[in-house]
Amino acid sequence: MSTHANKGTLRIIVVAAVMVLLLAWAQGDLRFIGIGPWDAYFVRILNLAAINTILALSLNLVNGFTGQFSLGHAGFMAVGAYTTSLLVMTPQMKKVVFFMEPMFEPLDRICIPFLPALLVGGVVSCVFGILVGIPALRLKGDYLAIATLGFAEIIRLILQNVRRLTNGALGLKGIPQVVNLWWTFGAGVAVFLFIRGFVRSSFGRALIAIRDNETAAELMGIDVFKHKLLAFAISSFVTGIGGGLMASLLTTIDPAMFKFPLTFQILLTVVLGGMGSLSGSVIAAFIVTFMTEFLRVVDEPLQLGAYTIHVPGLRMVIFSALLVIVVVFYPRGLMGNKELTWESLSSPVSRLLRRRVAS
Amino acid sequence: MTWPLFWSNLANAISLGSLYSLIAIGYTMVYGILRLVNFAHADLLMVAAYAALYGILIFRLPFVISVLLAIVLTAGVGVLIERRAYRPLRDSPRITAMISAIGVSFLLENLGLVLFTGRPKSFPVPGFLGASTDIAGVRVSNITFVIIFVTAILLLIVLYVINKTKTGIAMRALARDFDTARLMGVDVDSVISLTFALGSALAAVGGVMWALKFPQINPLMGMMPGLKCFIAAVFGGIGNVVGAVVGGFLLGVAEIMLVAFLPSVSGYRDAFAFVILIATLLFRPTGLLGEKIGEKV
């Protein structure tokens, strides 16, 4: 028993150490021994992948584990992104950006470090989540989906119209680029462990019970609405954090960024990874992010002998077709509701080894 | 606000409401039978508008023939979508089919962006429709009359089909109780195909008239009207055709009047529909004319 536990701890330590070394190498923190950093473009994709992981995990908590279909993610991301950005931007930069109309009084002088700003972004997003959730979560299924989509659109319209707070349709620029791989992967791992812990707790089991049969769950004494709202609040907190990280990585944001296609991409990730599988969301987030970047090739002009084929936008066609194909032919996605474990990883390998030995 | 301005706003509101009604019928019919929010319905507006545009500009067809072909093509696209993307999921959880619908909607929009580019194209409005008529000092564009007239005719046809024909009875039977209707010998697949064909044809007419009213068309033109028309269908009582028409009208009129009387909130115009949706779902989930259906446990 104790050797088993030791083996598990050892594995975690090895994985963590390898990850830290790789991140240090990629980020350029191992320059003193003459290696790294990796190509800046590749590092940027890794950052995006980690942020998309955070977003997918938070959507999966609501859609996959609680079975409440929310399409409002872009709105909560926007809240997190704007809150964090407005708190970390320097007063000078704010003066430059808000050239049309000056900013609200005390906020134009406030400038706090990134970590508290990120957390405040998460909290504000969480408050919005609760405010949206209280009316919306009384609805079910497709009505909930449309209502959350509506709330996200309302949030976006508010951001676009309250010019003295958000600079309107022009958006914000000059957001300090604080995030690096340590931030994104650190937050990614923290969110993963947090949501995994939550899903495995009695709360999480109640959520799964609600997903599988709401009436039965209620009869078993679960306060359905409270649990749904809690899941929704946690999800919007995490989404807000994801939005804040995204804003700091991109350094510019505007309301048009946070339209429905953004939610679509997160939804694609969750469906591809498997609704109800955290490791599936992680894998799918990396696949989708890397595909997004590598499929830029198909948007470039293609030289075929004497002909030049140039179809900009083909990338998104591929993504939308992918969603339909996955849903129609592989509705369980990559992982279904299973998790990737050491056993599931090692069993095919050990089976292969055993076959080798036998032959 | 002066009276002439009010009347011209009202004419505008009624024509917008008619368009919403026409599109909302397709949502409500599909939802009534399959309990599916057909996100792709919105993008059929775009398909029809571009089909008509290309018929006129590229193939040099007369306006009417081009529009008729566009309607047939759009109905075909609607049936094809149902067959490929929704039929395999008929026994899956409803949310799965909805994800598929979202995927199809994005697929159509992005195909539109690839084929037609994102740059808006101007729709060739025939001279007669582009002109306007003076009624007691109020200038009303002719397309307003056409929209109201066509909507009224089509609504009568739809009501006839649903209430008097055998297919219509089958549709209502499916909407009431899917499995029993099947057992009673309703040919489920063909009735659903017909529903999609009818709904998509109405969306096509709506799309062409939308392009006549707002003659700058782009591949994302259906997105917002689509969501609003679904909301109109919910507002009127989903599954109920008359409800969809009432809901569409009220939404269109309310939207225009809100902006006309309160110009300061015009930035929030698109949010208004969602506020109505949330209020409807919270206070009268069956909509204005919907029947109460108990949830089966």
Side-chain angles (χ1 to χ4, degrees), chain A residues 300-318:
Chain A
E300 300 291 314
L302 191 68
Q303 201 74 40
L304 277 183
Y307 300 97
T308 313
I309 303 173
H310 186 206
V311 227
L314 201 56
R315 199 160 54 117
M316 276 311 292
V317 174
I318 294 174

Side-chain angles (χ1 to χ4, degrees), chain A residues 69 71 135 139-143 145-147 149-151 153-154 157-158 161-162 215 260-261 264 267 271 311-314 316-317 320-321 323-324 327-328, chain B residues 31 35 37 39 85 88-89 94-96 98-100 102-104 106-107 110-111 114 224 227 230 234 238 267-268 270-271 274-275 277-278 281-282 295 297:
Chain A
F69 200 77
L71 289 178
L139 312 170
K140 282 179 194 159
D142 32 23
Y143 286 135
I146 302 278
L149 178 61
F151 273 117
E153 191 63 21
I154 291 173
L157 285 170
I158 292 174
N161 282 293
V162 186
T215 317
F260 189 43
F264 171 82
L267 179 68
V271 172
V311 227
L314 201 56
M316 276 311 292
V317 174
S320 0
L323 180 68
V324 180
V327 170
V328 173
Chain B
Y31 195 93
R35 303 281 181 271
V37 184
F39 271 85
L89 298 173
R94 277 161 54 196
I95 288 302
T96 315
M98 187 168 129
I99 298 174
S100 184
I102 295 174
V104 174
F106 268 80
L107 184 59
N110 288 303
L111 273 176
V114 167
M224 249 311 148
L227 279 173
F230 175 73
V234 174
I238 196 112
Y268 294 99
D270 288 339
F274 291 108
V275 174
L277 171 81
I278 292 154
L281 291 175
L282 290 180
E295 187 133 334
V297 178

Side-chain angles (χ1 to χ4, degrees), chain A residues 2-14:
Chain A
S2 72
T3 52
H4 188 73
N6 284 342
K7 211 173 151 193
T9 322
L10 193 66
R11 268 181 199 151
I12 291 169
I13 292 171
V14 169

Side-chain angles (χ1 to χ4, degrees), chain A residues 159-348:
Chain A
L159 291 176
Q160 195 168 311
N161 282 293
V162 186
R163 264 186 250 149
R164 291 192 59 194
L165 180 63
T166 63
N167 204 26
L170 295 172
L172 303 175
K173 57 178 197 283
I175 303 159
Q177 190 172 37
V178 180
V179 295
N180 53 26
L181 288 171
W182 296 113
W183 278 102
T184 54
F185 276 75
V189 170
V191 165
F192 179 80
L193 294 177
F194 174 58
I195 293 190
R196 193 181 65 159
F198 182 73
V199 169
R200 286 181 177 180
S201 71
S202 64
F203 272 111
R205 303 208 180 275
L207 296 183
I208 294 170
I210 291 171
R211 174 191 70 190
D212 291 341
N213 190 334
E214 195 170 322
T215 317
E218 198 161 15
L219 289 172
M220 298 296 281
I222 295 172
D223 186 340
V224 170
F225 182 71
K226 202 177 84 188
H227 279 82
K228 283 182 186 173
L229 191 61
L230 183 68
F232 205 72
I234 290 177
S235 170
S236 39
F237 175 79
V238 173
T239 312
I241 299 275
L245 290 169
M246 187 72 98
S248 175
L249 180 70
L250 300 179
T251 72
T252 54
I253 51 172
D254 63 81
M257 254 178 73
F258 301 100
K259 283 187 176 174
F260 189 43
L262 184 64
T263 308
F264 171 82
Q265 196 171 350
I266 310 171
L267 179 68
L268 169 69
T269 309
V270 172
V271 172
L272 182 66
M275 307 255 275
S277 168
L278 295 178
S279 39
S281 287
V282 178
I283 298 167
F286 276 80
I287 292 177
V288 170
T289 313
F290 274 83
M291 263 178 79
T292 313
E293 294 305 323
F294 293 141
L295 282 178
R296 277 188 203 284
V297 178
V298 302
D299 282 1
E300 300 291 314
L302 191 68
Q303 201 74 40
L304 277 183
Y307 300 97
T308 313
I309 303 173
H310 186 206
V311 227
L314 201 56
R315 199 160 54 117
M316 276 311 292
V317 174
I318 294 174
F319 274 119
S320 0
L322 179 67
L323 180 68
V324 180
I325 290 168
V326 169
V327 170
V328 173
F329 296 105
Y330 313 97
R332 298 170 52 75
L334 288 171
M335 302 290 299
N337 53 10
K338 303 269 188 314
E339 293 294 344
L340 197 63
T341 57
W342 287 106
E343 287 67 35
S344 67
L345 268 182
S346 61
S347 68

